[in-house]
Amino acid sequence: MVLALIRHGQTDWNLAARMQGRTDIPLNDTGRAQARAAAAAFAAEPWHAVVSSPLGRARETAAILAEHLDLPLGAAYDELVEQEFGEAEGTLVADLDTRWPNRDFAGKEPDHEVGERGVLGLERVARDQDGKRVLVVAHGTLIRYTLAAITGHDARDYPRLDNLSWSHVRSNRSAASAEAASRSTDAAWRVLTVAGVPFDDVLVDLERAGELQPAS
C-alpha cells in the first residue's frame, strides 16, 4: 500500500506567514490553482481514492484532487488534523522568537504527540483502504512529525514542506495486521520520498543534523 501525504494548498495565512494550526482558514485562489496543477501531476500514476484532515483547507484540496482525477472522496480523519498551536495561532512567524523563544505556547499540543497521532491516522487509512494507493491531504507540521515518527529522526530536522508538496510512504501490512497495530507506531511503514526527494538523499541530511545536536 502506498500513500501520498500531501500538504494542502495555500491560504491567506500561509501567504502572510502566520501560524495556522487548528484555525480553519480556507484556501485562497492560489491554493485552488495549486491543487488543480497537482492533480495533473498525479494523473501520471494510478490512484484509488483521496482522503484528508477534516480542516477546510485540507478537505477542499482533497475535493479538487478527487474531482479532477475522477476519484472517490473518502473520509476525513481527525488524526490528520494540524498540530494545535494554542495562543500562537494567527501570530506572524517572524514574531515567534520574540514572544515565545522556547516555543512554549499556551494551549500547544505537545510535539511528541503529533507524530504518534499521525501514524495512527495512517493506520486508519490503511484499514479503510486496504492495499490501495491513496492521496492523503493533511498539514505541513503533521506530515513532518509523522515522517519523523516513522524514521526515528527529529522532526525539526526534516525539510519544510511547501503547499501541495507530497511525500510517499509505504506499508506492507495487511488490513488485519494494521488493526492489531493500530495503537502503536510501527516500523512496517517506510518513507519513500520527502517532498519529491528520494528518502535516501534526505537521510544524509537528517543524519548529519543528528550528529550536530548537542549531547543531552
Side-chain angles (χ1 to χ4, degrees), residues 76-119:
Y77 294 87
D78 289 342
E79 294 89 345
L80 300 177
V81 75
E82 181 61 298
Q83 183 177 14
E84 169 71 64
F85 294 123
E87 67 181 12
E89 295 191 5
T91 302
L92 291 171
V93 173
D95 292 340
L96 293 180
D97 286 339
T98 301
R99 298 185 62 182
W100 299 282
N102 297 318
R103 298 295 195 269
D104 51 349
F105 325 127
K108 177 185 178 184
E109 179 184 11
D111 292 341
H112 71 273
E113 295 180 2
V114 180
E116 296 172 3
R117 173 168 60 78
V119 173

Side-chain angles (χ1 to χ4, degrees), residues 159-171:
R160 184 183 183 280
L161 304 176
D162 292 332
N163 295 111
L164 262 300
S165 65
W166 57 87
S167 305
H168 292 87
V169 298
R170 173 185 290 151
S171 174

Side-chain angles (χ1 to χ4, degrees), residues 7 11-21 25 85 88-96 99:
R7 187 184 177 202
T11 70
D12 286 346
W13 278 20
N14 290 147
L15 182 61
R18 292 187 181 277
M19 294 288 285
Q20 202 155 224
I25 306 300
F85 294 123
E89 295 191 5
T91 302
L92 291 171
V93 173
D95 292 340
L96 293 180
R99 298 185 62 182

Side-chain angles (χ1 to χ4, degrees), residues 174-185:
S174 68
S177 59
E179 175 72 31
S182 62
R183 296 188 179 182
S184 65
T185 298

Side-chain angles (χ1 to χ4, degrees), residues 120-183:
L120 291 177
L122 302 191
E123 298 291 359
R124 283 193 64 199
V125 175
R127 295 198 304 274
D128 293 348
Q129 303 282 346
D130 185 27
K132 296 179 181 178
R133 292 171 55 88
V134 183
L135 304 179
V136 180
V137 183
H139 307 271
T141 300
L142 181 281
I143 294 171
R144 285 191 296 111
Y145 273 90
T146 301
L147 297 176
I150 293 170
T151 66
H153 295 92
D154 191 327
R156 294 170 297 182
D157 295 331
Y158 265 81
R160 184 183 183 280
L161 304 176
D162 292 332
N163 295 111
L164 262 300
S165 65
W166 57 87
S167 305
H168 292 87
V169 298
R170 173 185 290 151
S171 174
N172 295 318
R173 190 187 298 126
S174 68
S177 59
E179 175 72 31
S182 62
R183 296 188 179 182

Side-chain angles (χ1 to χ4, degrees), residues 38-74:
F42 282 121
E45 298 181 68
W47 298 98
H48 301 108
V50 188
V51 301
S52 73
S53 152
L55 289 179
R57 57 191 184 269
R59 200 65 181 157
E60 184 177 3
T61 301
I64 292 170
L65 292 172
E67 178 184 1
H68 283 76
L69 292 167
D70 195 23
L71 295 175
L73 178 61

